[in-house]
Structures are given as C-alpha cells and as structure tokens.
Amino acid sequence: MAITYELMKSITAQLYDWSLKKVPDDTKDALRRAEAAETNPLAKRTLGILLRSAEMAEQSERLVCSDSGVPVYFVQLGTGVRIEGDIKQAIKDGFDHLVETISPPILKHVTNPLTNERSYRGKDMPLVTWDVLSGADYIDITCQPKALGSGRWAALEIFTSPSLEQIEAFVMDCVLKAGSQHCPPVVMGVGIGGSFDHCTKLAKLATLRPLGSVNPEPILAAMEARLTEATNKTGFGPMGTGGDTTTLGVHIEYAAGHGFTPVAVCFNCWINRRTRARVYNDGRIERVE
Amino acid sequence: MSDEIRRLRLPLDVEEIRSLRAGEMVLLSGDIILTAGLPTHKRIEEYLDAGRELPLDLHGQTLFHLGSYSRDAADGGLEVLYINPTTSTRFNGYMPRFIRHFGLRMVGGKGGLDAASAAAMKEVGCVYLSFVGGGSPLLSDAVKGVVSVHWPDLIAHFRLVKLRVEDLGPLTVGIDAHGNSLYDSLQQQAAERMPEIMAGLAARRAATTP
C-alpha cells in the first residue's frame, strides 16, 4: 500500500478547513489560565470574549476569523513511506477543491505582491515546507494558515557573534514594534542561527510547538521563560487594549551557524491556527492536533 | 472600569459620543458602515478630490474597518455571511481627512489609529472602537440585516457595506473623543518600562544561564 494523490489532496484540504474553525486545545487552555490570572478587569473580560468566540466557532463549525489567511503547510516525509502519484500537486488541487466546497465560503486573500490583486490562487501557493523524517512510515502534515494581522510583524536581523543580551534586546524590540497590533495574546517564535532562510524556518517551527513545551537546551529553556515574562511586562494585553497577557508563550529554536547569526522573530495571533495529521502507508489517518 | 456594558443606539449625537471614555465597553445597535479595503479608502479619497458624492451618505455615520462576506441571497436580496475586524493602522493616512470631512461619529477595527486620527476625532467628536480579532461568530450573530452593499466591482471584503446590527460587541472604546488613546498610552508605557524590563532580563540571565 502507499500514500496516494487522493489521500494527500483530501487530508491537506481537511486540515485547512479544521484550522479555521477550531482554536487548538492547548491554546484555549492557555487562554483560560490567562483569563484566571489577569489582574486587569478589561483584559480579563476581553479574554472571556475571545474564548466565547472560539467556543462558538467550534460548536457551530464557523470561522473564528474572517481572514482565513493563505495556505501554509509543513510536510515531513518519512523515509519509510511509499508514495503513489504527485503529492505536491495534490496539495495545490486540495486547496482549489476546498475553495469551491468549504462552508462558509472563504474570502480572497491570496495576493499578488506585484499588483496587489487578490484571488484564491497565486504563484507558489500553497506555501509548503518539505522535510524528511528518518525512519518514519508516515507523512506528518501541519497546516498553519497565515494572514497579515500577525504576519506583518515578523522580523529578522543578522548579527555577528551576538551575546544573549543582544538577541533578547532584538526580540523585545520586535515586541515593542508590534505593540497592540497583532491580535495578542500571541504565540512567539524565535529562530537563532543557521542561515538566513534556515533561521526564519526555525522561528516558524517554534510557533508550532505546543504551549507549555520547553526547549531541551537549558540556555534556551531559560531564555524562553524570561522572554515570556518580559513580553508580558510590556502591558499591551489582550487585543492590545492593556493587560498582563501579551504572549501565551515564547518558543525558541536554534541551529549552528557561522558567527553571522540571524535572529528571526514571528508571531501567531491568539487563535494560533494549527492542525496536524499523520498519514500512513496503509491509508490510515491519525489526527495529531 | 465599570461592570456595566453601555448599550448604544445609532445614530449618536456628539454629546453622547463625548460621554464615552477610553477603556469602556459598549454594545452597538443600529446601522453601521464598514469596509476592509485599502482600494476602497483610495476610491473614497478620489471621490472627495473630485467632489463626487459617495453611493451612500457617510456624514455623521460610522466607518468601521470590518471585512464581510456578502453575496446575492436566494430571495433576490443580499446576505452577509460573516464579519470580522481588520488592522486599522494601515488606513492611518486616510482617516484624519475622512473623520473631519464626514464628521464620522465612530471608527473602529483592531489595533487602533495613530495620533493624527486621534486629533481629528477629538476635534469632531468621534471614538475608535476595538473589535476583537477572531471574533467572527460573536460579531456576525449581531448582524440582523443588510441595508446596502456598494462597489460590487471590488472583492467582497473591500466593498462598502451598510448593515443593521443589534447588540454588536462587546466593543472597547480604544480612543475616545477627548484625545485619550489606549494604543498611544500603552505604547508609551511599554517604552517607559523597557529599561526596567531589560534590567530584569539581565538579572535573570545572570541567575539562570549555565
């Protein structure tokens, strides 16, 4: 048996559909904890409204946000998988099919950056990052639709052998620049090192980690904790109208590099769209998130 | 902040608008006008430059940065399937003129507007309302009817749409008509706190870095 074009087409479309209607469980839990801990009454109430919206969307299968973003996937191919058909084309065709069939229908967000024209299709869409998983007999697929609201505030800077202090100052600079704008409380991803492209990918992958997870590298585990605390001390709060909760968590990933050290920072808005499944050689689908 | 959420019925006069305070929550009923489009703002500006009348009257009205999905309904009318806010700051360049020209009473969306808009709002008596991003189910349930949809040549969320709403919200007054902006004051507060925050990071680094 093998993983087919049809299977890949339907699962990638489904993951997109689900991601628009359900806030991940870890994110809802984190929002509930934040609501309980908030000392600012307006922020507490705002968090309650966000949670109510999430519950309504989930119960009645509606969009949490009208901005359904553009399709972004992270695909990891197990080295033990057998493939039948063009699974790359399948993701493209799956999105086209979704646009025709999803209820409620989604708006046109795919934007040509040269003309600013919007449609459902565009060059390189869907945006897919391909990776290889050693030894696995499945394909691991994560869907993370991305929109302007929080996407706009991502940043990268390249340092030369920076100190931890310089890295953290840059992250806080990004927090200050984003301010009230990115639909906080946000999940923050930070990439350190590697190359220009690898670093941004690390930051994106960091946002995919479950909230509450900690980087196994002790230097980064400590940095994650202190940057989370520092970000929340800024006071921007839920929806940027003030409060103790500006981020639900800062996740950091790193890679070795060559002294020129890129540092990338990106944000996911509070709905933290993320769905994930594994498809196996025997056609089985395991919904992971 | 009072626990009471004020219920407001549009249209509102200047006195009522000036009685609203930044940080207060409100529910809105009545007719609202909205768009999420940059091309729409550009077109409104072109109409103003040319002295042309807009297809709907914005004077004394609301102009919210909300996207909507509108389409022809089976009964021959129009339906709006959902609404949701978009980032207002990208319209900063247009808003002061619109606020003054139309004497807008309410603007809004998410993320706020800049100081130039806040100044125009203070001048004419206008407030900025913060809609929760990702609040689509909650906000859409408040839509009770479609009054009109204009400029159908634009994609759905860029159209100029007038909706009838009942208890839309809760919405937070982000900028009031007295020049108080939560956004500006929070940005200033964060900048002021930054030296202390950086010192805290340094102290924790010293204590925790292996």
Side-chain angles (χ1 to χ4, degrees), chain A:
Chain A
M1 293 190 66
I3 295 166
T4 62
Y5 164 90
E6 278 304 329
L7 181 60
M8 200 66 179
K9 180 179 162 187
S10 72
I11 187 62
T12 50
Q14 271 176 355
L15 284 170
Y16 198 100
D17 190 330
W18 292 333
S19 75
L20 301 178
K21 297 169 183 169
K22 186 181 186 302
V23 174
D25 291 331
D26 67 334
T27 312
K28 275 183 297 188
D29 289 345
L31 289 163
R32 284 191 202 103
R33 284 194 299 273
E35 185 192 21
E38 262 293 346
T39 59
N40 176 319
L42 174 63
K44 203 183 198 51
R45 198 177 246 178
T46 302
L47 286 166
I49 297 169
L50 301 183
L51 279 160
R52 183 142 55 99
S53 175
E55 280 154 21
M56 287 171 77
E58 192 171 334
Q59 280 161 14
S60 53
E61 297 193 3
R62 291 195 279 174
L63 306 179
V64 186
C65 183
S66 66
D67 195 332
S68 43
V70 295
V72 178
Y73 292 94
F74 298 87
V75 181
Q76 294 177 290
L77 298 172
T79 49
V81 296
R82 289 181 299 279
I83 291 166
E84 221 174 80
D86 187 344
I87 60 166
K88 189 173 179 182
Q89 185 63 35
I91 301 178
K92 212 182 251 301
D93 295 348
F95 182 64
D96 284 348
H97 181 70
L98 178 84
V99 166
E100 286 161 21
T101 55
I102 189 170
S103 172
I106 56 175
L107 293 160
K108 293 176 178 175
H109 294 296
V110 175
T111 308
N112 180 329
L114 308 178
T115 61
N116 287 315
E117 273 175 63
R118 292 189 168 211
S119 68
Y120 294 113
R121 289 174 160 202
K123 187 167 187 304
D124 290 357
M125 282 290 160
L127 304 172
V128 185
T129 300
W130 297 89
D131 261 322
V132 174
L133 265 182
S134 298
D137 65 341
Y138 55 82
I139 303 180
D140 188 294
I141 310 156
T142 301
C143 178
Q144 189 193 37
K146 197 66 197 167
L148 177 153
S150 61
R152 154 81 181 80
W153 302 99
L156 174 130
E157 190 159 323
I158 299 186
F159 296 87
T160 307
S161 304
S163 62
L164 297 185
E165 183 182 0
Q166 282 175 290
I167 292 170
E168 290 172 24
F170 174 64
V171 174
M172 293 313 295
D173 190 42
C174 294
V175 168
L176 206 56
K177 274 190 186 136
S180 294
Q181 301 285 310
H182 47 5
C183 281
V186 290
V187 175
M188 289 167 59
V190 179
I192 302 171
S195 55
F196 179 78
D197 56 327
H198 193 78
C199 180
T200 51
K201 180 177 151 186
L202 289 174
K204 288 301 292 279
L205 292 175
T207 63
L208 296 178
R209 271 175 36 200
L211 286 162
S213 65
V214 173
N215 193 297
E217 161 58 51
I219 294 175
L220 293 185
M223 194 191 278
E224 287 177 349
R226 62 180 178 261
L227 282 175
T228 300
E229 188 190 280
T231 300
N232 285 330
K233 276 187 180 160
T234 57
F236 290 111
M239 285 316 295
T241 49
D244 309 324
T245 323
T246 303
T247 184
L248 297 175
V250 179
H251 297 163
I252 311 173
E253 296 294 328
Y254 86 113
H258 185 290
F260 78 92
T261 301
V263 179
V265 179
C266 62
F267 303 92
N268 271 2
C269 62
W270 72 269
I271 65 176
N272 197 25
R273 286 189 285 224
R274 178 188 84 210
T275 47
R276 184 165 156 230
R278 285 174 181 172
V279 290
Y280 290 82
N281 281 333
D282 59 7
R284 194 158 42 94
I285 295 172
E286 180 194 349
R287 176 92 187 262
V288 183
E289 280 170 344

Side-chain angles (χ1 to χ4, degrees), chain B residues 117-134:
Chain B
S117 294
M121 290 162 61
K122 184 178 175 181
E123 218 174 283
V124 308
C126 173
V127 295
Y128 179 94
L129 299 179
S130 166
F131 292 69
V132 294

